Amino acid sequence: MEASSPSRESLEFDDPHAANMLFGPHNAHLDILAAASGARLATCGAGLYIDTPDQAVRRRLCNLFLQLYELARGGMDISGQDVSRAYAMLTADPGVNLRQIYKEAVFVATPRKTVTARNLAQKTYLGLLRSHEMVFAVGPAGTGKTYLAVAMALNMLQQHKVKRIVLTRPAVEAGERLGFLPGDLAEKVNPYLRPLYDALHDMMPQAKVAAMMEVGTIEVAPLAFMRGRTLNDAFIILDEAQNTTREQMKMFLTRMGFGSRVVVTGDATQIDLPAQPGERDGRSGLIHALKVLRGVPGLAIHHFSKTDVVRHPLVGAIVNAYDASEKAPSPL
């Protein structure tokens, strides 16, 4: 790295292919970083110029490009979202090692998917899933709470650390009254469980998922079906936990048997339980459990924030817009 003026830094990369991957198609990655940082970014062959009077921004961008370049040379495909997330991580913590984050992976041994941590929050979450028998993951949509838990469950099943996977969620309608649903009991509850099937099918061929469900290795069931059971040697995931009542949450947590792991995921801002007079979230079993169980040995609580959203960039913008709207004063 060589400074050519008080406000400019220059970088020269010796692998043109890796540099092109770093810059993105038609320098699209540079456009993303220019918009995020306010710096002017220009290329000349495999060289890069960073122009901004803000020394901290120059250092941050140099750090980012050098780290991502090494990842690109190592064979990692770099997307625009990777670049955007990397800049956000280095802004929050200049000492972040991007190689450690992107190499922190849950390997699901199927032809379809290898799941990796995409930011610091996910890296921490994966560490908690490995080290704790019970984990609560709380945060907005799109942060990977359930997806990573399903990946870890499949990983532990393949390593024979558990004998089966149990996925469950409460059958609560999200602000709609669906009325009578046709079909048998399974057909009636399946619409509520569809997001869990989606996660499974994204990581494994549908035929293999169906075969594992047929023999009971994977079970997807509504929360009401958990009552009276004791689940040993299982990886158990409760999704949409904000829509459990206090009684349901206590019932679910006490299903845990020997050799089992439990993950509870939810978003405290999306409670669909019928409101009681004078309270908004008082019935939520998730919010109550977070208060009651804080400090219990062997239990971990991980909070995601809106900055950890890893879905389409518009999802993060939508979350921010709704947060701003809720905080804005009501018009007279």
Side-chain angles (χ1 to χ4, degrees), residues 20 32 110 117 191 198 285 302 304 307:
N20 286 334
I32 292 171
T110 71
D198 290 343
H302 183 65
F304 288 96
T307 61

Side-chain angles (χ1 to χ4, degrees), residues 136 223 238 241-242 244-254 264 284-287 289 293:
F136 282 74
L223 181 59
L238 170 59
Q242 74 275 6
T244 62
T245 64
R246 296 184 182 190
E247 295 79 13
Q248 286 175 321
M249 178 62 77
K250 181 179 178 182
M251 177 274 293
F252 170 78
L253 294 177
T254 54
V264 179
S284 174
L286 175 63
I287 293 178
L293 301 178

Side-chain angles (χ1 to χ4, degrees), residues 184-200:
D184 60 21
L185 183 59
E187 290 171 330
K188 290 177 188 294
V189 299
N190 271 351
Y192 297 101
L193 306 173
R194 179 50 55 188
L196 297 175
Y197 288 110
D198 290 343
L200 285 170

Side-chain angles (χ1 to χ4, degrees), residues 217-273:
T217 306
I218 295 178
E219 178 183 351
V220 182
L223 181 59
F225 287 18
M226 296 297 106
R227 187 173 297 279
R229 304 176 65 183
T230 299
L231 301 171
N232 296 315
D233 300 311
F235 197 111
I236 313 156
I237 301 172
L238 170 59
D239 190 31
E240 297 290 333
Q242 74 275 6
N243 288 329
T244 62
T245 64
R246 296 184 182 190
E247 295 79 13
Q248 286 175 321
M249 178 62 77
K250 181 179 178 182
M251 177 274 293
F252 170 78
L253 294 177
T254 54
R255 300 308 94 201
M256 183 180 185
F258 292 104
S260 289
R261 289 177 177 259
V262 171
V263 181
V264 179
T265 69
D267 180 356
T269 68
Q270 295 190 9
I271 297 172
D272 299 312
L273 291 169

Side-chain angles (χ1 to χ4, degrees), residues 51-326:
D51 196 345
T52 173
D54 190 324
Q55 186 178 29
V57 171
R58 291 200 306 274
R59 288 178 177 173
R60 185 181 310 138
L61 288 170
C62 287
N63 186 6
L64 180 146
F65 283 115
L66 290 173
Q67 291 199 56
L68 288 183
Y69 173 69
E70 291 303 319
L71 289 171
R73 283 211 309 177
M76 175 178 163
D77 291 328
I78 297 176
S79 69
Q81 289 190 13
D82 291 327
V83 169
S84 181
R85 290 174 196 141
Y87 184 78
M89 285 188 277
L90 287 169
T91 300
D93 181 1
V96 166
N97 185 325
L98 297 178
R99 174 176 289 275
Q100 287 183 357
I101 291 172
Y102 289 122
K103 294 243 177 205
E104 184 76 16
V106 178
F107 293 99
V108 182
T110 71
R112 180 165 295 182
K113 183 69 70 170
T114 295
V115 180
T116 62
R118 308 303 292 184
N119 54 41
L120 279 175
Q122 288 193 352
K123 180 177 183 294
T124 301
Y125 181 42
L126 289 176
L128 294 175
L129 291 175
R130 286 194 178 95
S131 61
H132 288 72
E133 293 182 329
M134 183 175 290
V135 178
F136 282 74
V138 186
T143 50
K145 305 181 298 295
T146 304
Y147 194 84
L148 291 176
V150 171
M152 184 64 76
L154 289 170
N155 179 251
M156 289 192 173
L157 181 68
Q158 290 167 350
Q159 295 181 13
H160 306 289
K161 294 181 179 179
V162 295
K163 294 180 180 177
R164 58 177 167 158
I165 298 170
V166 179
L167 308 175
T168 185
R169 44 174 6 208
V172 176
E173 296 164 0
E176 300 177 75
R177 308 306 302 174
L178 300 181
F180 173 77
L181 293 174
D184 60 21
L185 183 59
E187 290 171 330
K188 290 177 188 294
V189 299
N190 271 351
Y192 297 101
L193 306 173
R194 179 50 55 188
L196 297 175
Y197 288 110
D198 290 343
L200 285 170
H201 293 156
D202 195 46
M203 298 176 208
M204 298 178 66
Q206 189 167 346
K208 186 170 183 179
V209 172
M212 295 174 77
M213 293 182 69
E214 177 115 10
V215 298
T217 306
I218 295 178
E219 178 183 351
V220 182
L223 181 59
F225 287 18
M226 296 297 106
R227 187 173 297 279
R229 304 176 65 183
T230 299
L231 301 171
N232 296 315
D233 300 311
F235 197 111
I236 313 156
I237 301 172
L238 170 59
D239 190 31
E240 297 290 333
Q242 74 275 6
N243 288 329
T244 62
T245 64
R246 296 184 182 190
E247 295 79 13
Q248 286 175 321
M249 178 62 77
K250 181 179 178 182
M251 177 274 293
F252 170 78
L253 294 177
T254 54
R255 300 308 94 201
M256 183 180 185
F258 292 104
S260 289
R261 289 177 177 259
V262 171
V263 181
V264 179
T265 69
D267 180 356
T269 68
Q270 295 190 9
I271 297 172
D272 299 312
L273 291 169
Q276 298 295 312
E279 66 179 20
R280 178 179 176 273
D281 54 22
R283 295 186 64 214
S284 174
L286 175 63
I287 293 178
H288 181 251
L290 292 175
K291 295 175 183 177
V292 171
L293 301 178
R294 190 174 300 278
V296 171
L299 182 150
I301 299 174
H302 183 65
H303 290 274
F304 288 96
S305 71
K306 61 186 178 183
T307 61
D308 301 319
V309 171
V310 294
R311 288 183 182 170
H312 190 283
L314 271 176
V315 175
I318 289 168
V319 171
N320 289 336
Y322 272 99
D323 284 348
S325 174
E326 291 171 1

